[in-house]
Amino acid sequence: NALYELVPDIVLIEGPPDADALIPLFADDDMTAPVAMLVYVPDEPKYASYYPFAEFSPEYQALKFALDNDIPAKFMDLPQRHVLRMRKDADLAAKEALETAQDTDSSPSLDSMPPTDNDDASEDQHLRSDPLGTLAKIAGYQDGERWWEHFVENQDNDIEIFQALLEAMTALREANIMLQNPMDEQREAYMRRIIRDAIKAGYERIAIVCGAWHAPALATMPTLKHDNDILKGLKRIKVETTFTPWTHS
């Protein structure tokens, strides 16, 4: 409903740009959800990422809207050719560290282990790992999933819901309720790169479908240099994409 009200020139969706070529296939008569996009390294398929779509998935609905109305659609997340390369490099580094530790017969000291009985530290860690859960508890709910389902997914909300969510996420981020990790910063910098590309291409009404947490980082744009510095030096690996059936299990 929001997309029909906005009538965008282009729809940008949180997903792997590596799979942009698959988007037209969502219009195929035989394409029905649930289904998943699969991005994988051909020679090492253990390095792979799945992107499942159900009928009710916002990303799926956005893609169907764009295709049904002849509106361009693109994915805008950090490409998996970079993400899977990072995963492989991390595995190799961990393997080398383990081999080095075995060679030197070293192990972590108990003095270097993080505390496990500090209630304040545990509560702070929980807040930073589950920002939606913080809002949920304020509203009297046990977890963020139930709160989100009740107030967002099961309500006949009008378009103002997006502004309300943007304000809530902005407040959480400004309070540093959840620490950003380098991967999040790279993802959001790349999303902004895709937005800039769309603006440069002449699109004016740009609809963005993304996780609520990212919205504040996309609503205000830092300098181009800021984002280029974050994305500088990213390595890549060859990936391929396809569709695969998907079930909950």
Side-chain angles (χ1 to χ4, degrees):
N1 288 341
L3 288 168
Y4 275 105
E5 187 171 335
L6 290 169
V7 194
D9 300 325
I10 189 172
V11 181
L12 304 180
I13 300 164
E14 184 180 333
D18 322 79
D20 274 349
L22 297 182
I23 289 177
L25 297 178
F26 279 93
D28 190 282
D29 291 339
D30 293 328
M31 176 65 70
T32 56
V35 68
M37 293 188 311
L38 170 63
V39 186
Y40 65 99
V41 178
D43 298 332
E44 299 176 280
K46 70 175 182 177
Y47 296 109
S49 291
Y50 294 89
Y51 291 81
F53 297 86
E55 187 76 24
F56 55 80
S57 299
E59 300 87 351
Y60 184 79
Q61 290 295 325
L63 286 167
K64 297 291 285 185
F65 164 83
L67 292 167
D68 289 346
N69 293 279
D70 295 321
I71 295 172
K74 293 173 64 69
F75 291 120
M76 64 182 302
D77 206 345
L78 184 66
Q80 284 295 312
R81 60 181 175 269
H82 300 307
V83 176
L84 295 178
R85 173 60 188 268
M86 283 187 261
R87 280 175 50 185
K88 181 177 179 179
D89 288 349
D91 284 351
L92 291 174
K95 181 180 179 181
E96 291 175 1
L98 180 61
E99 291 173 349
T100 300
Q102 290 173 340
D103 291 341
T104 59
D105 193 29
S106 63
S107 59
S109 165
L110 289 177
D111 292 336
S112 67
M113 300 299 286
T116 58
D117 57 351
N118 187 322
D119 292 338
D120 292 336
S122 298
E123 179 65 16
D124 183 62
Q125 184 178 16
H126 174 73
L127 289 175
R128 293 181 184 277
S129 65
D130 185 20
L132 285 183
T134 303
L135 295 179
K137 287 192 174 182
I138 294 172
Y141 285 75
Q142 291 299 312
D143 62 80
E145 288 287 340
R146 292 184 183 275
W147 173 80
W148 184 270
E149 182 176 318
H150 180 82
F151 281 100
V152 180
E153 295 184 353
N154 289 345
Q155 298 292 328
D156 187 18
N157 293 301
D158 55 31
I159 199 169
E160 280 72 23
I161 185 67
F162 296 109
Q163 184 61 34
L165 291 172
L166 175 59
E167 291 175 4
M169 296 303 108
T170 300
L172 288 175
R173 291 179 68 122
E174 288 178 349
N176 290 321
I177 200 71
M178 180 176 176
L179 294 179
Q180 287 284 86
N181 61 50
M183 176 73 77
D184 282 338
E185 293 180 353
Q186 290 168 328
R187 292 177 61 197
E188 291 170 352
Y190 200 92
M191 291 182 196
R192 291 190 291 264
R193 173 179 286 183
I194 298 296
I195 294 172
R196 289 191 184 93
D197 289 345
I199 294 172
K200 187 176 180 180
Y203 295 106
E204 297 179 355
R205 299 179 64 80
I206 302 172
I208 297 171
V209 181
C210 69
W213 180 256
H214 299 301
L218 308 182
T220 57
M221 304 280 278
T223 65
L224 176 61
K225 182 182 184 304
H226 174 274
D227 287 342
N228 285 342
D229 287 344
I230 292 175
L231 297 171
K232 187 177 180 179
L234 282 176
K235 298 179 181 178
R236 63 177 63 197
I237 196 170
K238 177 179 172 56
V239 299
E240 293 184 6
T241 59
T242 187
F243 283 106
T244 180
W246 186 265
T247 65
H248 181 274
S249 58

